[in-house]
Amino acid sequence: MVIIFLVIGIVGCKSEVLNGKEIVAIKLECSDLCKKTPNAPFNQKILTDIDEIKIFERSISKAVKMKGELDYDVMFMMYVSFEDSTQKKFVLNVDDEAGRTALLVDTADSGQGYEIPKDQTNELRKIIYND
């Protein structure tokens, strides 16, 4: 019984958001809001480095489903490509300000958000903003 709960806890959001699929590439696009900031990191960035992809997978798997209605602007559009040649589109809001959490939204269900914990957000921030 304990093993089943551990597996469910570890898989958590990853199975719900990623459907258990393995990521092979991630494309990030800076939205209009991102481009208006004085520290816009890029227009578009494609991630294929295995270590960076693992950080994104871990961040998504640890994301916590949020309650209530969302009201958000879009910082980055994130296109996730999987090993089976399928793709999912997300909104990813990661601010350059340390200590904040990130917001992840699957565009197929734009009313449901997931909060990425601070530790994982910090890892994403390093990749996105080259800190």
Side-chain angles (χ1 to χ4, degrees), residues 2-50:
V2 172
I3 293 173
I4 292 172
F5 289 121
L6 286 175
V7 169
I8 290 171
I10 291 169
V11 174
C13 178
K14 183 175 181 178
S15 63
E16 184 177 330
V17 177
L18 299 179
N19 297 322
K21 297 180 181 181
E22 187 174 330
I23 299 172
V24 295
I26 297 170
K27 179 172 79 170
L28 295 171
E29 289 181 352
C30 192
S31 73
D32 290 338
L33 175 66
C34 170
K35 291 175 185 174
K36 290 178 185 175
T37 63
N39 58 344
F42 49 78
N43 284 326
Q44 178 177 292
K45 183 174 190 170
I46 296 175
L47 306 171
T48 56
D49 178 78
I50 294 170

Side-chain angles (χ1 to χ4, degrees), residues 53-66:
I53 288 173
K54 292 293 180 198
I55 289 169
F56 273 80
E57 283 182 335
R58 187 170 44 253
S59 297
I60 293 169
S61 71
K62 293 187 181 237
V64 177
K65 193 173 191 176
M66 299 169 69

